[in-house]
Amino acid sequence: MSQVNRISGGQIDRTQSIRFTFDGQPYAGHPGDTLASALLANGVQLMGRSFKYHRPRGPLSAGSEEPNALVELRSGARQEPNTRATVAELFDGLTANSQNRWPSLRFDALAINDRLNTFFTAGFYYKTFMWPAAFWEKVYEPIIRRAAGLGSMSRLEDPDEYDKGFLHCDLLIIGAGPAGLMAALTAGRAGARVILADEDFRMGGRLNAETYAVGDQAGADWAAAAVAELASLPNVRLMNRTTVVGAFDHGIYSAVERVSDHLPTPLPGKPRQTLWRIYSAHAISAGGATERPVAFENNDRPGIMLAGSLRAFANRWGVAAGDRVAVFTNNDDGLRSAKDLQAKGVDVVAVIDCREGGDLLPGIRHLRGAEVIDSGGRLGLKSISVRQSSGKTEVIRVNALGVSGGWNPNVNITSHHRSRPEWRADIAAFVPGAGGPDNLISAGAAAGILSTHGALATGQAQALVVLERLGRSAKPAALPKAEDAPIAISPLWYVHHGKGRAWIDPQNDVTIKDVKLAHQENFSSVEHLKRYTTLGMATDQGKTGNVIGLAVMAELTGRSIPETGTTIYRPPYTPVAMGTLAGRSRGKEFKPFRLTPSHKWATEQGAVFVEVGNWLRAQWLPREGETHWRQSVDREVLATRKSVGICDVTTLGKIDIQGTDAGAFLDRVYANTFSTLAVGKCRYGLMLREDGMVFDDGTTARMGEHEFVMTTTTANAVTVFRHLEYCRQCLWPDMDVQLISTTEAWAQYSVAGPNARRLLQKIVDQDISDVAFPYMGAGNVTVCGGLRARLFRISFSGELAYEIAVPTRYGDAMIRKLVEAGAEYDAVVYGTETLGVMRIEKGHVAGNELNGQSTALNMGLGKMVSKKKDSIGMAMAQREGMNNPAGYRLVGVKPVDAANALTAGSHFLEIGAAPIVENDGGWLTSMVYSPHLGSHIALGYLRGGDQKIGRRMRAVNFLNKTDIEVEIVSPHFFDPEGERLRG
Amino acid sequence: MIINHPILGPRDAQEFVYLGDANLINRPDGLTASPQEMHDYVYLRTNPAGEHRELWYHEQGDRSWLVVTRNTVTHEITKVELARDVARQMGRSK
């Protein structure tokens, strides 16, 4: 198809042709075109279907405020739904498809919804699908979800990269129209660091769409010259294709740069989009204004668009939206559209002006005191019905209509700080209100100054305000001469005629009737209006429709518009892709793994890994022939208990604590006492939160008089360190105590089992006999003939055990050395599963028991809380409710029939008791199969558990429907006297 | 937000961890405090719409605990102090 509606002029490169397809049909356009301008040039007005009624739709606007012309752009993994055709830059090979229609755009089966519109009024969902309640999830929601929604996702991995960046400047200028360019010139020439951002690919704003002169040049040429000068200034950064989407605290703005959206695929190494975080001392909002329509019956047909957009398509893109055009306006700016189109040779058949007075347009049929009351045409506009001032109705054949109801300053960004826009009656629009941050000011149309001269003047003036605040001197320069026409508007929000539907939010299909219904049902506050009708809740955030809805509500309630109020805008200004917000934080880059020092070795052994926080730890290390994880784990447990096993325990948090008050400090942060600990010894410590619950546990060693090494659980390494810093700085600021996290500094291995000492003695240079290095001993040693190391004789497994730490860079060498030295003892390396089996056999608490809701008493460690000294949580741990004798106590659990498996999470019930909440006795926290005992065993919290040792109960699990008779036993299943670990 | 760290200058709030009311510095002695006093300290916070002194921790930085005076309505920050200095001014020592 040829470009039948292409007319002369415009900022497109006619020497080059660009091929693209829409719904499979090939078309041609030119560089500089948007998808919308190119489709209109090819005579295509129908571009989409509305959300609810599936009404045929074409573009309402020529910019980012577009509610109607939403398409799916590109195909395959790059398919992007809900793209506004009015801002999609044309490139060769672009493919676009219409959405929200089936089987085709021209014939859409769900257009039946339009016939059923009396059912689909405001609050439809709330009213219709209320009952039966059981139907909601299974019946109503799936149907609604299938019918609703606009575009569809590709459901494929996005092949493109997205980036994030940080920028700093003195002045961020949002919008590069006449106000923004003048502000940038003023501040840039004065030497300030300026960022000028504009969402368009071509800077100049409205100047590109107008025939106005600026100085002795066409507006667009003046803009191009200004951009060229700015580009030559090293202190100015020009960012086109960049939308400032949000204003945040303290001069932080977010901006989305569409780096590659205008290309078929991003250039190598380039992201598709970049999310910029801009730190700016000052900002000027110069984002211009958005035109709004006047609502009348059937005002949503393709071909009916904003008058200023009709003009923009003609002036900037050389496109007439139709060959018989009319304009419906309540202000002088609408007349300009008629004049510009006429000057381009387009047949302007009528101007329908609701105002009675004023000058007649020469050479055009100018109907004053008239209104458009209806339109005709199924898939595109064919005619309009006009009610003349005499009351006579006339049908006029047109295929394009420009509508102007006035211009709304873009207050969006300035209201992100909750500053409420203020009503200005003279321009019948909201302007930025007070209450925003001082360093965000507005200029030009965004401030309600709607003439070109006004834009240039305020752009310069506001830049001078900023320069003065920055302490830079600058004088006002002579401004180029530009039009300074008054607004001359007579507010008209909707045409009072007929009973049909008149759209105010075309994307969400909100009509005047819906607003009236909301009012009738008493949803008359603006916030209720919005939510009840969904006005302004579509992807365009109601940029064209919100003020009309507000005005209608004001009329219905007999209040003024400012009395009725306004909803404020929230970020983002225009929709932002999820991929852009994620940036490079995808997959591994979102959650990188922390690898233990033995990781390489464990990988070589074919270890199975488990994620522990960000850590990857070996879970078990299968040997040849082992097909089930239990075979590996049982082997590891038995081999360790029989001879010796090695485990990487580097992930435990390590904190070096030094200073003359280090001992006293530990007494305050641990519930038990550490100041009395002898040098060269370690002790198990219990740390409480201030509310008396257990926070963390671990062993802490005294390496010197004023030097301790604390270990924390893997999960709490960061939070314990933060807490200790808090205690040190905020609670006891004069204590001489210094902290440093050494978790990453030391590779630490547990060596456990009857042969642990024999194995380690081959590596440690000093004597580690029981006499020289007794149970709970700790100290600095050397290994392998001189390498510094730390040795702790501590046991989590219940065996004779040590933990040996070497500087991390020797971690890989150390695991290899340990394995080599252990070969003669058939040493095994075990993973976290075996660690878990042995700690449960020994009755040690871990993450499942340290659940943030447990007290020391619950864990059977109540006596550890010293009342002789003040410590964090000591006072609150004394509360009566936390010392209930019938409260939870840690117990061991065995199935009466050893063949029965237990499930963690099962609940304790007395035998014969009904499985109801009132009879709940507690729950199983941790469960393992103990190869040593040949049975499943578990730990659990049982009410009054210490009084119930030996009792038979049931472990009931409703999820896997098990009900198993169990015996309550001591949690110390293995070597309860601790003879092995002292061996 | 930007927090003007007394030692390091203006830093992005993303580098910090928020704790809450700076009154947490006023910890009673656990051996002598009444249960009511301890309860109030642990559980009661004022939640003002306006100026609020609160504790922030420069976790991705120098590990300073700071007392930030911030307006909870406007997010304006009027004062940033080292928590250690504030604690000393409040008479805390060892």
Side-chain angles (χ1 to χ4, degrees):
Chain A
M1 200 189 273
S2 60
Q3 299 178 41
V4 291
N5 284 337
R6 191 70 82 177
I7 55 176
S8 65
Q11 295 138 26
I12 49 170
D13 179 3
R14 289 170 195 263
T15 64
Q16 289 184 60
S17 192
I18 286 179
R19 290 156 306 155
F20 69 101
T21 66
F22 179 62
D23 278 346
Q25 185 78 27
Y27 298 100
H30 298 295
D33 262 329
T34 62
L35 176 60
S37 72
L39 282 172
L40 286 174
N42 283 279
V44 178
Q45 285 182 336
L46 175 62
M47 299 187 194
R49 289 273 177 172
S50 71
F51 181 67
K52 193 160 75 172
Y53 299 132
H54 291 247
R55 297 264 294 187
R57 291 289 165 76
L60 176 72
S61 74
S64 64
E65 70 270 37
E66 179 56 35
N68 280 338
L70 304 184
V71 298
E72 277 170 14
L73 213 58
R74 307 169 197 260
S75 58
R78 288 195 166 87
Q79 178 179 313
E80 188 190 356
N82 304 334
T83 307
R84 288 151 293 159
T86 50
V87 295
E89 276 180 71
L90 208 61
F91 56 80
D92 202 42
L94 178 145
T95 56
N97 285 292
S98 58
Q99 52 189 32
N100 202 34
R101 85 288 184 272
W102 184 86
S104 76
L105 183 58
R106 294 182 69 82
F107 178 80
D108 177 4
L110 273 175
I112 188 73
N113 285 4
D114 195 33
R115 304 260 177 231
L116 302 174
N117 72 76
T118 46
F119 298 103
F120 291 118
T121 50
F124 161 70
Y125 295 118
Y126 305 123
K127 291 168 185 167
T128 313
F129 297 117
M130 286 294 287
W131 54 88
F135 268 40
W136 176 251
E137 205 174 306
K138 293 215 160 74
V139 182
Y140 297 144
E141 192 177 333
I143 292 172
I144 293 168
R145 292 243 178 258
R146 212 172 306 135
L150 292 165
S152 56
M153 295 189 299
S154 73
R155 297 187 179 273
L156 298 170
E157 172 101 6
D158 190 333
D160 294 328
E161 290 191 329
Y162 299 82
D163 226 332
K164 289 189 184 176
F166 299 82
L167 294 170
H168 296 78
C169 62
D170 298 324
L171 173 61
L172 168 67
I173 300 166
I174 303 160
L181 286 171
M182 199 64 223
L185 286 170
T186 307
R189 286 166 181 164
R193 288 185 308 156
V194 174
I195 291 175
L196 176 61
D198 195 286
E199 62 179 345
D200 207 326
F201 54 93
R202 185 183 174 104
M203 288 190 164
R206 209 49 218 180
L207 291 176
N208 292 326
E210 302 291 2
T211 51
Y212 308 141
V214 175
D216 51 8
Q217 289 171 294
D221 294 340
W222 180 85
V227 170
E229 182 186 340
L230 290 167
S232 74
L233 297 176
N235 51 318
V236 175
R237 182 179 180 124
L238 296 174
M239 301 180 76
N240 64 341
R241 298 189 178 100
T242 303
T243 308
V244 176
V245 290
F248 300 94
D249 290 309
H250 306 161
I252 300 173
Y253 295 82
S254 63
V256 175
E257 182 179 8
R258 289 172 299 280
V259 180
S260 310
D261 278 13
H262 60 296
L263 303 170
T265 55
L267 296 173
K270 289 285 183 188
R272 187 172 151 216
Q273 297 187 352
T274 299
L275 182 65
W276 292 102
R277 190 177 173 90
I278 302 175
Y279 297 80
S280 184
H282 298 273
I284 295 176
S285 167
T290 301
E291 200 173 14
R292 63 187 182 231
V294 177
F296 56 88
E297 253 185 78
N298 294 310
N299 62 333
D300 65 330
R301 294 194 198 284
I304 300 177
M305 60 178 66
L306 295 163
S309 300
L310 194 68
R311 177 162 101 223
F313 281 122
N315 289 334
R316 177 170 171 184
W317 287 286
V319 172
D323 53 11
R324 285 176 59 81
V325 178
V327 170
F328 176 28
T329 186
N330 69 351
N331 66 85
D332 278 0
D333 192 70
L335 303 184
R336 180 172 287 277
S337 294
K339 282 189 271 191
D340 280 8
L341 286 160
Q342 191 192 32
K344 287 268 190 181
V346 178
D347 186 7
V348 181
V349 295
V351 171
I352 299 94
D353 190 337
C354 75
R355 300 168 301 172
E356 295 284 354
D359 293 334
L360 277 172
L361 282 174
I364 295 179
R365 188 174 176 223
H366 188 171
L367 301 168
R368 288 181 301 182
E371 292 172 337
V372 177
I373 56 172
D374 200 355
S375 76
R378 196 173 73 85
L379 296 174
L381 183 65
K382 292 211 168 106
S383 66
I384 52 172
S385 300
V386 175
R387 182 176 59 201
Q388 296 180 8
S389 60
S390 64
K392 192 182 131 208
T393 305
E394 178 189 356
V395 174
I396 303 175
R397 288 183 55 77
V398 294
N399 52 17
L401 173 72
V403 183
S404 181
W407 292 77
N408 293 325
N410 285 334
V411 299
N412 198 312
I413 288 282
T414 54
S415 63
H416 287 184
H417 286 282
R418 296 197 69 80
S419 120
R420 292 212 164 257
E422 287 163 10
W423 182 252
R424 249 181 67 192
D426 61 324
I427 58 168
F430 284 100
V431 295
D438 292 340
N439 55 1
L440 172 59
I441 55 182
S442 301
I449 315 294
L450 294 166
S451 77
T452 311
H453 168 77
L456 296 168
T458 53
Q460 182 182 70
Q462 296 294 57
L464 290 170
V465 167
V466 170
L467 288 169
E468 195 187 331
R469 289 179 185 173
L470 289 169
R472 290 176 180 275
S473 62
K475 287 197 174 67
L479 291 171
K481 198 169 160 48
E483 65 81 29
D484 197 13
I487 303 307
I489 183 169
S490 168
L492 173 65
W493 307 102
Y494 72 105
V495 174
H496 295 64
H497 173 84
K499 294 191 169 172
R501 285 167 295 163
W503 271 261
I504 51 177
D505 180 337
Q507 190 176 134
N508 267 356
D509 276 328
V510 180
T511 66
I512 300 285
K513 278 169 103 173
D514 294 316
V515 180
K516 288 181 176 170
L517 186 65
H519 170 250
Q520 187 183 312
E521 299 186 347
N522 207 22
F523 290 99
S524 50
S525 95
V526 283
E527 299 296 338
H528 285 153
L529 169 67
K530 171 181 170 179
R531 284 158 183 83
Y532 197 58
T533 64
T534 71
L535 170 65
M537 290 170 75
T539 60
D540 62 324
Q541 280 197 41
K543 290 187 178 68
T544 55
N546 277 357
V547 177
I548 304 175
L550 199 64
V552 175
M553 186 55 81
E555 184 190 288
L556 293 169
T557 55
R559 292 175 296 182
S560 68
I561 289 173
E563 279 168 355
T564 308
T566 174
T567 55
I568 58 172
Y569 292 95
R570 285 183 286 239
Y573 176 66
T574 47
V576 179
M578 294 302 291
T580 311
L581 296 174
R584 292 190 178 273
S585 299
R586 288 164 62 168
K588 284 278 174 56
E589 290 172 59
F590 171 65
K591 193 186 173 200
F593 286 136
R594 296 173 81 182
L595 302 180
T596 63
S598 66
H599 186 81
K600 184 164 177 280
W601 178 87
T603 306
E604 289 164 15
Q605 307 307 308
V608 174
F609 294 97
V610 60
E611 288 181 41
V612 182
N614 281 5
W615 290 102
L616 268 193
R617 294 185 73 179
Q619 196 172 8
W620 63 88
L621 295 97
R623 283 196 180 159
E624 215 172 306
E626 290 174 349
T627 53
H628 190 275
W629 66 271
R630 266 277 308 281
Q631 293 174 307
S632 309
V633 174
D634 288 358
R635 170 183 52 75
E636 290 171 8
V637 172
L638 292 170
T640 302
R641 296 241 187 263
K642 184 177 171 215
S643 178
V644 60
I646 302 156
C647 183
D648 191 332
V649 293
T650 302
T651 64
L652 293 177
K654 309 177 201 74
I655 302 170
D656 275 25
I657 301 168
Q658 300 184 13
T660 54
D661 292 318
F665 178 74
L666 287 170
D667 283 348
R668 302 267 178 88
V669 297
Y670 272 133
N672 50 329
T673 305
F674 275 83
S675 53
T676 56
L677 184 66
V679 173
K681 296 287 277 185
C682 43
R683 181 171 286 170
Y684 175 74
L686 198 64
M687 199 177 285
L688 306 184
R689 300 194 308 237
E690 196 68 278
D691 66 0
M693 296 293 173
V694 175
F695 174 25
D696 199 65
D697 71 346
T699 51
T700 288
R702 190 166 208 163
M703 308 299 279
E705 181 61 27
H706 305 307
E707 189 185 343
F708 292 81
V709 177
M710 175 188 282
T711 60
T712 75
T713 59
T714 299
N716 285 334
V718 171
T719 47
V720 168
F721 189 75
R722 184 188 302 159
H723 172 69
L724 296 187
E725 283 288 4
Y726 160 77
C727 292
R728 187 178 78 96
Q729 296 177 42
C730 301
L731 302 183
W732 306 297
D734 289 334
M735 271 194 163
D736 176 27
V737 55
Q738 314 296 328
L739 311 169
I740 190 165
S741 167
T742 58
T743 304
E744 278 104 344
W746 296 92
Q748 194 151 319
Y749 296 97
S750 165
V751 181
N755 283 318
R757 184 183 296 124
R758 289 188 193 93
L759 189 161
L760 266 181
Q761 191 64 80
K762 291 169 71 177
I763 293 172
V764 178
D765 301 334
Q766 291 76 18
D767 175 18
I768 57 166
S769 65
D770 191 47
V771 178
F773 214 90
Y775 178 58
M776 296 307 264
N780 293 308
V781 295
T782 59
V783 294
C784 304
L787 173 66
R788 71 193 169 98
R790 286 171 167 178
L791 187 66
F792 311 92
R793 191 172 159 193
I794 50 178
S795 176
F796 198 47
S797 57
E799 296 296 333
L800 164 66
Y802 300 82
E803 288 186 15
I804 179 95
V806 292
T808 300
R809 62 186 178 280
Y810 295 101
D812 180 71
M814 193 62 184
I815 185 71
R816 292 171 200 276
K817 191 77 191 169
L818 287 167
V819 170
E820 182 194 314
E824 65 174 294
Y825 307 110
D826 297 324
V828 291
V829 176
Y830 61 89
T832 54
E833 286 296 328
T834 293
L835 193 76
V837 171
M838 292 195 292
R839 74 99 184 163
I840 291 168
E841 286 179 337
K842 190 62 191 168
H844 284 308
V845 292
N848 293 5
E849 289 77 33
L850 293 162
N851 61 356
Q853 300 173 310
S854 306
T855 63
L857 192 58
N858 294 151
M859 296 175 187
L861 303 172
K863 287 186 182 141
M864 284 186 70
V865 182
S866 166
K867 296 173 194 169
K868 292 186 190 139
K869 63 178 180 71
D870 182 21
S871 66
I872 301 284
M874 182 279 284
M876 295 300 269
Q878 310 309 318
R879 284 181 288 172
E880 192 185 336
M882 293 171 71
N883 292 280
N884 179 0
Y888 292 119
R889 296 291 182 278
L890 188 74
V891 294
V893 183
K894 277 200 312 198
V896 171
D897 179 351
N900 277 332
L902 297 172
T903 313
S906 299
H907 279 251
F908 290 116
L909 282 175
E910 296 287 354
I911 288 169
I916 53 174
V917 171
E918 288 71 24
N919 292 336
D920 180 24
W923 70 101
L924 271 64
T925 51
S926 305
M927 177 284 303
V928 289
Y929 176 79
S930 166
H932 183 78
L933 297 169
S935 159
H936 278 83
I937 57 169
L939 297 176
Y941 283 131
L942 175 62
R943 289 187 201 278
D946 51 343
Q947 308 300 316
K948 294 181 180 169
I949 303 296
R951 186 187 295 225
R952 288 195 175 183
M953 297 188 75
R954 290 149 62 206
V956 179
N957 191 306
F958 288 110
L959 290 178
N960 58 6
K961 298 188 172 55
T962 53
D963 187 341
I964 291 163
E965 193 174 350
V966 295
E967 184 186 346
I968 308 304
V969 297
S970 155
H972 309 293
F973 293 93
F974 181 81
D975 186 30
E977 304 306 318
E979 286 159 11
R980 291 172 74 96
L981 47 82
R982 288 187 175 82
Chain B
M1 291 200 298
I2 293 171
I3 295 174
N4 197 5
H5 192 298
I7 300 169
L8 301 171
R11 314 295 308 181
D12 195 298
Q14 285 188 323
E15 295 172 8
F16 293 81
V17 171
Y18 177 76
L19 179 64
D21 194 339
N23 193 46
L24 280 170
I25 295 172
N26 272 322
R27 182 181 183 275
D29 186 301
L31 286 177
T32 57
S34 68
Q36 186 63 43
E37 221 180 321
M38 210 66 206
H39 165 274
D40 292 355
Y41 167 73
V42 172
Y43 293 111
L44 299 189
R45 305 277 184 279
T46 52
N47 184 21
E51 195 170 272
H52 189 222
R53 295 183 88 206
E54 51 201 27
L55 285 164
W56 290 74
Y57 176 51
H58 199 202
E59 188 150 80
Q60 308 295 327
D62 74 340
R63 291 149 40 195
S64 288
W65 276 94
L66 305 179
V67 173
V68 175
T69 306
R70 181 178 69 103
N71 186 311
T72 57
V73 177
T74 63
H75 293 187
E76 186 191 9
I77 291 173
T78 46
K79 201 173 186 183
V80 184
E81 304 154 272
L82 290 175
R84 168 169 280 161
D85 294 343
V86 173
R88 282 177 179 141
Q89 284 158 22
M90 291 166 114
R92 300 199 71 88
S93 177
K94 284 193 174 189

